[in-house]
Amino acid sequence: MSATPPDATTEPLSTESAVRESTGDMHAARRARLMARVGATSAALVVAYPERNRSNDSNHPYRPSSDLWYLTGFEEPEAAMLLLPGHPEHPFVLFLRERNLKMEIWDGPRVGLERAREMVGADKAFTFEQLEEELPKLLAGRASLHYSLGVDAAMDDVVLKSYRKALRTARGRARAPTSIIEPGEALHEMRLIKSPEEIEAMRRCCEVSAAGHVRGMRVTRPGMTEFELQAEIEHVFRKQGARSPGYPSIVGTGTNACVLHYIENRDTLADGDLVLVDAGAEVDYYTGDITRTWPVSGEFNGYQRTIYDLVLRAQMEAISLVKPGLPWHELHECTVQVITEGLCDLGLLEGPVEKAIEDKAFKKFYMHGTGHWLGIDVHDVGAYAREGEKSRPLEAGMCFTIEPGIYFHPEVENCPTDFLGIGVRIEDDILVTEDGCEVLTRGVPKEPEEIMEIVGKDA
Ligand code: GLY
Ligand code: MN
Ligand code: MN
């Protein structure tokens, strides 16, 4: 959500409809839409994430920042895009690295200033180092700047100095930005509704993610390590074109399944235990996000099956509700209702159900939300509620997860002995369609009979 209200001079959103992504350069179409949204008196600055050191002189593999990639397709670090809607000569200014043969021999090719127009569509290019000098001049005449403050302190410093310098230079005689607006309103609302190209990309990354899980189920056997299982799954991701997982894979067996962000993945799968796998493939910048929980031996015991069935019922009921118009929060209300009823029936929560919900007693065993937007980021951008709403109604083109879970962490006070250490989550990726939804991750089984059929088949 923006820190300040949207610019009052923003053009009506209906002007966007003139720009479609179905043909031509999808990044250019997105820039045109964004410019229509921010309006001709504003500017938008989107900056590449800095490279991150991993150890000594080795960096983490560079992953372009999602907003910058969405708008330009440009993949290099040390870059920034400035959009100046309505500018007669250069509405799209790109700051980037110069070409440097020595560095290109070590690290790979760079676009460079001379090729910025041909390769990225920029109307004007400067070096990244010139940003501090050029930004105040380029902002002259603009009333506001759309920029994400608080992400990159070094860049904030450059932007704030430029903002101050532009104001000083204008001295009230000319217009200079008087507000910095969080890009959520303009840019992240665009990312929330997936275009046809993005829907295809979501289908693809979800298919690859599902293929990894299916492989994981098939090779599971007692005595295997969590990291071996992780490797089997990620092998499929990479082989099918994923640049990497979209987030660190969680492979937790036994009580590790109760640690929501468990990523050590170094224990051994034991006969009789469950294993919980939360892993998704990032393919062409879009990521899947799937969780499945299955028995290491292929057979659920009675307690495990009871909890599994309850989580599955909650998940399926929530999925059955999805259609345009459904308020987002009703999905969580649905899973909470089903899970709380089930836990009360089992005597694991004290009733009545309404009171257990009101008191949030269910949080002892179900302590996270039901899902999140999904796209270029695993926890994708976009507001869950807009001004005056409890939560926003679903719209065709939105993608999100539905992922209820129940966890009996052994350290939790009075954890019921029979269920101690059981952790179950079931997560699918959902696309809202005109009349309902498409489960993008349906390629991986979740019915207990199907799971029992497939687990260990290729072990
Ligand atoms: N894998 C991250 C999540 O499910 O939110
Ligand atoms: Mn998720
Ligand atoms: Mn997940």
Side-chain angles (χ1 to χ4, degrees), residues 247 278 289-291 403 427:
Y247 55 91
D278 184 346
D289 181 8
I290 302 179
T291 307
E403 50 177 304
E427 174 175 31

Side-chain angles (χ1 to χ4, degrees), residues 157-406:
D157 194 47
V158 170
V159 169
L160 292 174
K161 277 185 190 148
S162 302
Y163 167 81
R164 185 53 52 194
K165 196 164 169 188
L167 271 177
R168 242 192 346 256
T169 309
R171 288 182 190 276
R173 290 189 300 264
R175 195 191 247 171
T178 50
S179 59
I180 294 181
I181 299 172
E182 176 61 27
E185 288 273 353
L187 174 56
H188 293 165
E189 286 295 299
M190 283 170 56
R191 281 180 51 191
L192 179 56
I193 309 293
K194 271 60 179 177
S195 67
E197 290 88 347
E198 291 183 290
I199 289 171
E200 277 316 305
M202 287 305 302
R203 288 196 178 111
R204 174 86 187 116
C205 67
C206 288
E207 274 168 24
V208 175
S209 303
H213 277 256
V214 168
R215 171 80 184 155
M217 287 180 180
R218 296 186 74 94
V219 299
T220 295
R221 57 174 164 74
M224 151 183 245
T225 56
E226 293 168 340
F227 56 80
E228 271 181 277
L229 180 52
Q230 175 185 3
E232 290 282 357
I233 293 165
E234 292 183 5
H235 171 82
V236 174
F237 291 176
R238 193 74 182 108
K239 218 172 161 193
Q240 297 202 11
R243 69 185 288 141
S244 72
Y247 55 91
S249 302
I250 294 168
V251 181
T253 192
T255 57
N256 295 336
C258 302
V259 178
L260 299 180
H261 288 165
Y262 174 80
I263 52 171
E264 284 74 14
N265 303 349
R266 59 181 166 219
D267 281 350
T268 301
L269 278 58
D271 202 352
D273 277 348
L274 297 176
V275 60
L276 180 154
V277 174
D278 184 346
E282 182 179 300
V283 184
D284 296 336
Y285 289 103
Y286 290 80
T287 191
D289 181 8
I290 302 179
T291 307
R292 289 291 185 269
T293 310
W294 61 87
V296 170
S297 64
E299 295 288 330
F300 290 92
N301 71 31
Y303 298 112
Q304 292 166 345
R305 178 69 190 262
T306 300
I307 298 306
Y308 189 91
D309 287 348
L310 181 52
V311 175
L312 183 59
R313 184 146 48 84
Q315 204 235 13
M316 299 288 275
E317 274 197 34
I319 292 175
S320 75
L321 299 179
V322 176
K323 61 174 193 236
L326 181 86
W328 165 255
H329 74 276
E330 290 191 15
L331 295 172
H332 189 55
E333 282 184 357
C334 169
T335 63
V336 164
Q337 181 74 33
V338 174
I339 285 177
T340 309
E341 271 172 22
L343 293 175
C344 287
D345 286 349
L346 289 165
L348 302 176
L349 284 179
E350 203 175 313
V353 172
E354 294 67 33
K355 176 135 175 58
I357 291 175
E358 198 184 310
D359 296 348
K360 304 206 181 305
F362 60 86
K363 285 198 163 191
K364 182 172 174 183
F365 305 119
Y366 177 26
M367 63 297 281
H368 57 73
T370 294
H372 50 82
W373 307 137
L374 184 70
I376 305 176
D377 294 315
V378 62
H379 293 171
D380 210 29
V381 291
Y384 290 89
R386 294 162 300 185
E387 207 143 311
E389 286 174 337
K390 178 169 179 190
S391 76
R392 73 188 304 159
L394 299 180
E395 292 174 50
M398 287 177 168
C399 281
F400 53 85
T401 66
I402 297 190
E403 50 177 304
I406 300 178

